[in-house]
Amino acid sequence: QVQLQESGPGLVRPSETLSLTCTVSGGSVSTFYWSWIRLAPGQGLEWIGYTYYSGRPYYHPSLKSRVTISADTSQNQVSLRLSSVTASDTAVYYCARLNRYNWSHWVHEIWGQGKSVTVSS
Amino acid sequence: DIQMTQSPSSLSASVGDRVTVTCRASQDIRNYLAWFQQKPGNGPKFLIFAASSLQTGVPTRFSGSGSGREFTLTISNLQPDDFGTYYCQQYNDNPWTFGRGTKVEI
């Protein structure tokens, strides 16, 4: 059974870089696409971007200048880096496995429990 | 970006009730819509894709319908385990976008 676990600092200072890791167990990072999604207080879920270990990542246009998502097959992990953070980046961050159903339906089928990150000095 | 509007934002219902959650897209998304259930402290759980196709293992009391701009998630015969927040997500256009959620209380 595939499980995803997010990890990283729970507190990041404004203007610094948020770095999170998603460790995949029970499956291989190289087999699927992987997304990062966040849930800010009082807001809806926001998709950040996705990657495939051997392909070009795709990012939300509003975050594209600050975000990097990558997959490390040797560690079986997916990472998220978000630079120049502000208080509006405070959120619970989730990694999720993307899978294609019925040829064209890309679905976030498995999610981690999430990592709460606060941006504050 | 495509805006996804869910209603109601919250509801309270009793065991055995039929519950309906609505999701409206700001433009046509065909049937490229998924539904998720989230409980406190957990990541969302995938329920439905292609607006009406149930994920394997999801109880058949859950159903989805709609196409174009308007969609519904129905829970018939509501069970105590069905509490949580339900989200819709469109994946017809990038960036993929979610609704703000509907909190279901039993």
Side-chain angles (χ1 to χ4, degrees):
Chain A
Q1 183 177 352
V2 176
Q3 292 188 315
L4 312 181
Q5 181 65 60
E6 302 89 346
S7 61
L11 179 65
V12 181
R13 304 209 182 279
S15 80
E16 295 188 346
T17 295
L18 179 159
S19 294
L20 295 177
T21 298
C22 173
T23 300
V24 180
S25 58
S28 172
V29 162
S30 62
T31 312
F32 291 92
Y33 285 75
W34 304 89
S35 270
W36 283 93
I37 297 148
R38 67 182 180 180
L39 180 61
Q43 305 295 315
L45 291 162
E46 180 181 35
W47 171 72
I48 297 170
Y50 69 71
T51 193
Y52 185 64
Y53 83 101
S54 65
R56 187 172 67 91
Y58 190 94
Y59 303 131
H60 194 298
S62 70
L63 298 170
K64 185 177 180 179
S65 63
R66 300 194 292 130
V67 69
T68 303
I69 297 175
S70 59
D72 183 341
T73 56
S74 65
Q75 299 291 322
N76 219 37
Q77 294 175 331
V78 184
S79 66
L80 168 70
R81 289 174 57 86
L82 184 65
S83 64
S84 305
V85 297
T86 68
S88 63
D89 294 310
T90 293
V92 177
Y93 286 78
Y94 300 95
C95 64
R97 188 175 87 174
L98 267 172
N99 200 2
R100 188 170 63 173
Y101 288 66
N102 292 6
W103 297 107
S104 62
H105 292 270
W106 288 94
V107 184
H108 294 106
E109 63 173 359
I110 301 173
W111 296 60
Q113 282 194 310
K115 175 67 182 179
S116 179
V117 179
T118 300
V119 178
S120 174
S121 56
Chain B
D1 299 2
I2 296 176
Q3 305 302 313
M4 304 300 292
T5 303
Q6 280 185 243
S7 61
S9 57
S10 67
L11 66 90
S12 181
S14 300
V15 172
D17 283 354
R18 179 185 179 93
V19 166
T20 298
V21 178
T22 298
C23 181
R24 289 188 175 89
S26 60
Q27 60 192 71
D28 186 350
I29 58 169
R30 298 181 287 175
N31 69 335
Y32 284 69
L33 184 103
W35 288 98
F36 301 88
Q37 175 198 61
Q38 185 174 29
K39 297 187 178 184
N42 292 337
K45 174 187 175 184
F46 162 44
L47 299 176
I48 289 170
F49 72 99
S52 61
S53 296
L54 217 59
Q55 163 69 327
T56 302
V58 174
T60 55
R61 63 180 180 272
F62 290 89
S63 63
S65 64
S67 66
R69 294 183 57 188
E70 186 149 339
F71 303 86
T72 58
L73 170 71
T74 301
I75 311 172
S76 60
N77 189 21
L78 191 72
Q79 297 299 299
D81 190 48
D82 297 337
F83 78 93
T85 301
Y86 291 82
Y87 294 94
C88 61
Q89 182 222 328
Q90 68 82 19
Y91 49 93
N92 185 68
D93 281 352
N94 278 318
W96 297 332
T97 48
F98 292 82
R100 293 177 69 106
T102 296
K103 186 174 183 180
V104 174
E105 297 176 313
I106 309 295

